[in-house]
Amino acid sequence: MIKNFVCIQCPRGCSLEVDTEKMTVTGNSCPRGKTYGINEATHPVRTITSTIKVDGGRIPRCSVKTSISVPKELIFKVMEEIDAVEVKAPIHIGDVIIHDVLSTGADVVATKEVLEA
């Protein structure tokens, strides 16, 4: 079976053609495209970025992201977990906000410093 994707690993946006029986990729301009194409055809994953509520901070929300990519089918469930969290300031870059979210192996970590108000 042939699947077609547009690679999102770099600005080139290569048109990939993945043969899922032979596990071959054509159309990629770099090795990252091959890896992306195979992953997208067999088990798509995404890094999630969002924000969480902060109590007592100089700003009301703090940006966060998953430490590793999570299965694409879990994106909305992970977002529900993130949305349910409220943390108290101060927050430091790299602080683990949610450890092993939904048993994916991914931590949700802070990507912004939020000082106390």
Side-chain angles (χ1 to χ4, degrees):
M1 173 186 252
I2 301 294
K3 293 187 176 184
N4 294 297
F5 302 100
V6 174
C7 184
I8 60 172
Q9 295 301 296
C10 77
R12 284 188 168 158
C14 296
S15 295
L16 306 179
E17 189 172 275
V18 181
D19 183 329
T20 58
E21 293 170 9
K22 296 178 184 174
M23 278 303 148
T24 58
V25 178
T26 57
N28 57 303
S29 297
C30 69
R32 292 186 298 170
K34 180 179 180 182
T35 302
Y36 174 79
I38 290 172
N39 287 341
E40 196 65 12
T42 59
H43 191 254
V45 294
R46 298 290 185 272
T47 298
I48 298 174
T49 60
S50 188
T51 62
I52 55 165
K53 297 175 227 167
V54 178
D55 180 38
R58 291 187 182 177
I59 56 176
R61 298 193 74 83
C62 178
S63 58
V64 295
K65 73 173 198 124
T66 53
S67 59
I68 59 173
S69 298
V70 298
K72 190 175 177 183
E73 67 270 12
L74 292 179
I75 289 174
F76 291 107
K77 289 181 180 181
V78 171
M79 288 300 298
E80 288 173 6
E81 295 291 314
I82 291 170
D83 192 46
V85 171
E86 182 171 341
V87 295
K88 188 151 182 65
I91 309 286
H92 304 286
I93 295 173
D95 284 355
V96 175
I97 307 301
I98 304 172
H99 175 69
D100 192 18
V101 64
L102 297 177
S103 300
T104 59
D107 294 334
V108 176
V109 297
T111 59
K112 183 170 183 68
E113 188 96 6
V114 180
L115 301 175
E116 291 179 87

